[in-house]
Amino acid sequence: VPQTYRQVILKDRPVGEPAAHHFELVERPMPEVAEGQVLRRTLFLSLDPYMRGRMSAMKSYAAPVDLGAVMVGGTVSQVVESRNPAFKSGDFVLGYDGWQEYGLSDGSGLKKMVDWRWPLSYALGVLGMPGMTAYVGMLDIGRPKPGETVVVSAAAGAVGSVAGQIAKIKGCRAVGTAGTDDKCEYVVKELGFDACINYKTQHVLRSLRKNCPDGVDVYFDNVGGPILEAVLRLINVHARIPLIGMISQYNATELSPGPNLVPLLFNRALIQGMIVNDHVDRRDAFLQDVSGWLREGKMKFREHVVEGLENAPAAFMGLFRGENFGKLLIKVAD
Amino acid sequence: VPQTYRQVILKDRPVGEPAAHHFELVERPMPEVAEGQVLRRTLFLSLDPYMRGRMSAMKSYAAPVDLGAVMVGGTVSQVVESRNPAFKSGDFVLGYDGWQEYGLSDGSGLKKMVDWRWPLSYALGVLGMPGMTAYVGMLDIGRPKPGETVVVSAAAGAVGSVAGQIAKIKGCRAVGTAGTDDKCEYVVKELGFDACINYKTQHVLRSLRKNCPDGVDVYFDNVGGPILEAVLRLINVHARIPLIGMISQYNATELSPGPNLVPLLFNRALIQGMIVNDHVDRRDAFLQDVSGWLREGKMKFREHVVEGLENAPAAFMGLFRGENFGKLLIKVAD
């Protein structure tokens, strides 16, 4: 264990897009491990769009990160010293240690990764929060039926890629949207979607209309904005729209107008916001189903791994420009 | 039975607000009653906002009314001649004869009003489509829990007045919006809402914030537009928004922007469009509960009755300007 370790703290609250000067990389002395505590070294840090909300003073899902405090985030770590009988040196743990190289606590909230047969990082992706978000959002709110048409935005991303593959497993036509031709090719050729629209180069409404000849029954929305607006014009009676993310809106400095909701009324359709923390009761079913699909080769998952905690701010900023291709992770240590 | 009878037909499709020249009052020869048919005289015609959608060529809930065809609408009638054994002269029937003084058909779709203990017109109001819309929308989508805050727009209207009273019966705080001080006074003093906001003279967001100190758990929306936008800023976690009508949008000539949906996401809230035709399975429960509440004096209902079929177009146009005060009905005959 070294004498010091590094953290990324929130230095200033962004108005609009986050930039480098909103973060600060600081060095801290390594703390003593007191009786009952467990010290772990961060291996992987998950970077996710929801973190933008925590940078603002405004309430989003949860309380904001205080100025000067460590940025929050899900982590996979390895225990390096334990004075808590529930953990021993060498244990791999899933936690919420945030943007730092080491975490120290009494261990509450840490989950031991016992009999873990997958890459460690999967606990932050396809078998973690993003995968479970896709699972609950698609199955419990989207409720796809065989033969229906399901549209998924950010289809190459951590959540969207899982959501669309679940739609395929459930016998639906799956149409994705993504921001580059490479991502679209991946979504169709690797993930097995029926089509994928590059929303930056194609006319979204026209392309959706062409690729959804029977209308849209489920729209799994990760982005909000103009894609939601276009999809609403094509929804069928009793369509379901799980509202999972609105990455297009997270850097907005004021509440801009949204989509016209008349189609929702005429089609007796539903839009429902969801966060996965409300659905812990679905965790076992999720892990069982998605592990099974991974084993059977029905589910693929791509990761975008950036090395080094010092690169977390830049990687995070890139999320909002679609620079990642797959689940964005920081490899903090080996 | 006279030699002729009158109908109001759709003469032209409105773009924007409907006007007198979109309708035509025509006189028809009285048809012969063929074997199996039943002829009835219209007593009451219901006028409802959804009819605006039927005047447009665009699909709304249902197919548009053809040009030259009789305007559609719910009716209470009395059988004057029957060659169908299921009906006899003098029977009161609930039907969908539209804007005309007589209806003739094989009787399919007609409901005999047997043992009807209420004013006949109630079958088109509190004990009819509007009342059932309020019942299903509030209970099945709104799902109000005791102590919650429920906002209802168009609170003095046929649907809103029932919805808000149900919220009170369920132990909620009910806050209405309406377009005149008279209506607001009625909503509070007669219907028992806790507060009512005149959206034409008061600042809606500010007044809502004042009158909903614990936020909004259910918004029963009949109007869409700026009131929906304001309420969305005040919703609580897991709020439910039954989207029942969007009268503010029905005369729109293009899809205007709607509300920003970020609050829906952050609060894991739900907006769901509903039309009552999808919920016939709830009819018995509705009739039993609402009749009971009427008998016990827990439910009041106000009607706005205009005499004479010739006045139907003007009365209908007045709906969109809030000129009615209570359920709008045409008394076609005694």
Side-chain angles (χ1 to χ4, degrees):
Chain A
V1 174
Q3 301 279 304
T4 61
Y5 72 106
R6 298 183 301 169
Q7 301 178 324
V8 176
I9 63 167
L10 179 62
K11 195 176 177 199
D12 200 3
R13 299 199 185 282
V15 176
E17 276 196 37
H21 66 272
H22 299 118
F23 303 93
E24 188 174 16
L25 186 70
V26 297
E27 196 146 349
R28 304 287 188 204
M30 186 67 66
E32 290 288 315
V33 180
E35 182 58 37
Q37 288 189 322
V38 53
L39 178 72
R40 58 270 178 186
R41 189 175 49 145
T42 310
L43 304 180
F44 287 101
L45 162 68
S46 179
L47 293 182
D48 302 279
Y50 76 84
M51 294 167 174
R52 176 63 186 82
R54 302 296 185 87
M55 298 178 76
S56 296
M58 199 187 86
K59 181 192 155 211
S60 58
Y61 294 118
V65 174
D66 288 331
L67 283 178
V70 181
M71 282 289 296
V72 293
T75 46
V76 165
S77 310
Q78 188 167 25
V79 173
V80 291
E81 189 181 340
S82 177
R83 298 185 63 191
N84 178 327
F87 300 91
K88 63 175 198 300
S89 198
D91 281 351
F92 292 103
V93 291
L94 178 65
Y96 203 72
D97 284 344
W99 300 25
Q100 55 184 348
E101 292 174 322
Y102 284 82
L104 177 71
S105 73
D106 65 4
S108 58
L110 285 187
K111 262 197 204 78
K112 281 212 275 190
M113 294 168 69
V114 182
D115 291 329
W116 189 260
R117 296 149 199 267
W118 307 98
L120 288 171
S121 55
Y122 272 27
L124 300 171
V126 62
L127 292 171
M129 181 275 283
M132 185 161 159
T133 297
Y135 182 87
V136 177
M138 181 57 77
L139 293 182
D140 295 4
I141 300 178
R143 299 184 294 273
K145 292 189 276 290
E148 287 191 328
T149 298
V150 176
V151 174
V152 177
S153 52
V159 177
S161 63
V162 177
Q165 290 177 93
I166 293 175
K168 288 306 299 175
I169 288 166
K170 295 298 174 186
C172 298
R173 177 175 179 80
V175 176
T177 68
T180 70
D181 287 344
D182 278 357
K183 289 181 183 176
C184 280
E185 194 184 324
Y186 166 74
V187 164
V188 172
K189 294 207 177 142
E190 294 296 320
L191 302 182
F193 283 51
D194 298 279
C196 186
I197 295 161
N198 181 338
Y199 71 91
K200 288 186 179 164
T201 61
Q202 295 181 257
H203 187 283
V204 173
L205 179 59
R206 239 170 358 229
S207 306
L208 278 172
R209 193 172 272 137
K210 199 186 77 186
N211 284 295
C212 306
D214 299 324
V216 176
D217 301 292
V218 178
Y219 174 44
F220 188 101
D221 190 7
N222 290 301
V223 302
I227 300 178
L228 173 57
E229 198 179 320
V231 173
L232 276 172
R233 293 175 180 234
L234 302 175
I235 55 172
N236 290 329
V237 167
H238 296 143
R240 290 83 64 199
I241 303 180
L243 195 64
I244 303 303
M246 293 194 84
I247 197 168
S248 72
Q249 307 293 304
Y250 292 167
N251 289 327
T253 50
E254 53 182 32
L255 287 180
S256 55
N260 186 292
L261 296 179
V262 166
L264 204 67
L265 176 64
F266 286 168
N267 293 293
R268 298 90 91 185
L270 168 153
I271 301 188
Q272 186 168 355
M274 192 213 75
I275 66 165
V276 73
N277 300 3
D278 290 341
H279 301 271
V280 285
D281 58 307
R282 296 286 278 144
R283 189 173 168 82
D284 290 345
F286 153 68
L287 284 174
Q288 186 173 327
D289 282 346
V290 176
S291 311
W293 293 328
L294 284 167
R295 259 194 309 271
E296 296 161 20
K298 290 182 181 164
M299 176 77 67
K300 293 183 182 176
F301 193 69
R302 180 175 176 132
E303 298 180 326
H304 183 118
V305 179
V306 174
E307 304 238 348
L309 182 67
E310 67 279 11
N311 294 314
F316 177 69
M317 291 177 241
L319 261 182
F320 299 95
R321 296 187 293 266
E323 289 173 3
N324 58 308
F325 187 170
K327 171 69 189 102
L328 183 58
L329 296 158
I330 301 294
K331 188 171 180 183
V332 181
D334 277 316
Chain B
V1 176
Q3 300 279 303
T4 61
Y5 72 106
R6 298 184 301 170
Q7 301 178 324
V8 176
I9 63 166
L10 179 62
K11 197 178 176 199
D12 201 2
R13 300 201 185 279
V15 175
E17 276 196 38
H21 66 271
H22 299 118
F23 303 94
E24 188 174 17
L25 187 70
V26 297
E27 196 145 350
R28 303 286 188 205
M30 187 65 68
E32 290 288 317
V33 180
E35 183 57 37
Q37 288 190 318
V38 51
L39 178 71
R40 59 272 177 183
R41 189 175 49 147
T42 310
L43 304 180
F44 286 101
L45 163 66
S46 179
L47 293 182
D48 302 279
Y50 77 84
M51 294 166 174
R52 176 64 185 83
R54 303 295 186 87
M55 297 178 77
S56 295
M58 199 187 86
K59 181 194 155 210
S60 57
Y61 294 118
V65 174
D66 288 331
L67 283 178
V70 181
M71 283 289 296
V72 292
T75 46
V76 165
S77 310
Q78 189 166 25
V79 173
V80 291
E81 191 180 339
S82 178
R83 297 183 65 191
N84 177 327
F87 300 92
K88 63 177 197 301
S89 198
D91 282 350
F92 292 104
V93 290
L94 177 66
Y96 203 72
D97 285 344
W99 300 26
Q100 55 183 348
E101 291 174 323
Y102 284 82
L104 177 71
S105 74
D106 66 3
S108 57
L110 285 185
K111 261 198 204 78
K112 281 213 276 191
M113 295 168 68
V114 182
D115 291 330
W116 189 260
R117 295 146 198 267
W118 306 99
L120 288 171
S121 55
Y122 272 28
L124 300 170
V126 63
L127 293 171
M129 182 274 283
M132 186 162 158
T133 298
Y135 181 88
V136 177
M138 181 58 77
L139 294 182
D140 294 4
I141 301 177
R143 299 184 295 273
K145 291 190 277 288
E148 288 191 328
T149 298
V150 176
V151 174
V152 177
S153 53
V159 177
S161 63
V162 176
Q165 290 177 93
I166 292 175
K168 287 306 298 176
I169 288 166
K170 295 297 174 185
C172 298
R173 175 174 180 82
V175 175
T177 67
T180 71
D181 288 343
D182 279 358
K183 289 180 183 175
C184 280
E185 193 184 323
Y186 166 75
V187 164
V188 172
K189 294 206 176 144
E190 294 295 318
L191 302 183
F193 283 51
D194 298 279
C196 186
I197 295 161
N198 180 337
Y199 70 91
K200 289 187 179 165
T201 60
Q202 295 180 256
H203 187 282
V204 172
L205 179 59
R206 228 152 28 211
S207 307
L208 278 172
R209 193 172 270 138
K210 199 186 77 186
N211 285 295
C212 305
D214 300 325
V216 176
D217 301 291
V218 178
Y219 174 43
F220 187 101
D221 190 7
N222 290 301
V223 303
I227 300 178
L228 173 58
E229 198 179 320
V231 172
L232 276 173
R233 293 174 180 233
L234 303 175
I235 56 172
N236 290 329
V237 167
H238 296 143
R240 291 82 64 199
I241 303 181
L243 195 65
I244 303 303
M246 294 195 84
I247 197 168
S248 73
Q249 308 293 306
Y250 291 166
N251 290 327
T253 50
E254 55 183 31
L255 287 180
S256 54
N260 186 291
L261 296 180
V262 167
L264 204 67
L265 176 64
F266 286 169
N267 293 291
R268 298 89 90 185
L270 167 153
I271 301 188
Q272 186 168 355
M274 193 213 76
I275 67 163
V276 73
N277 301 3
D278 290 340
H279 301 272
V280 286
D281 58 307
R282 295 287 278 145
R283 190 176 168 79
D284 290 347
F286 153 67
L287 284 174
Q288 185 174 327
D289 282 346
V290 176
S291 310
W293 294 329
L294 284 166
R295 258 194 312 271
E296 297 160 18
K298 290 181 182 165
M299 177 76 70
K300 294 182 181 179
F301 194 70
R302 180 174 176 134
E303 298 179 327
H304 183 119
V305 179
V306 173
E307 305 238 346
L309 182 68
E310 68 279 11
N311 294 315
F316 176 70
M317 291 177 243
L319 261 182
F320 299 94
R321 296 187 293 265
E323 289 173 3
N324 57 307
F325 188 168
K327 170 71 190 104
L328 183 58
L329 296 158
I330 301 294
K331 188 171 180 181
V332 181
D334 279 315

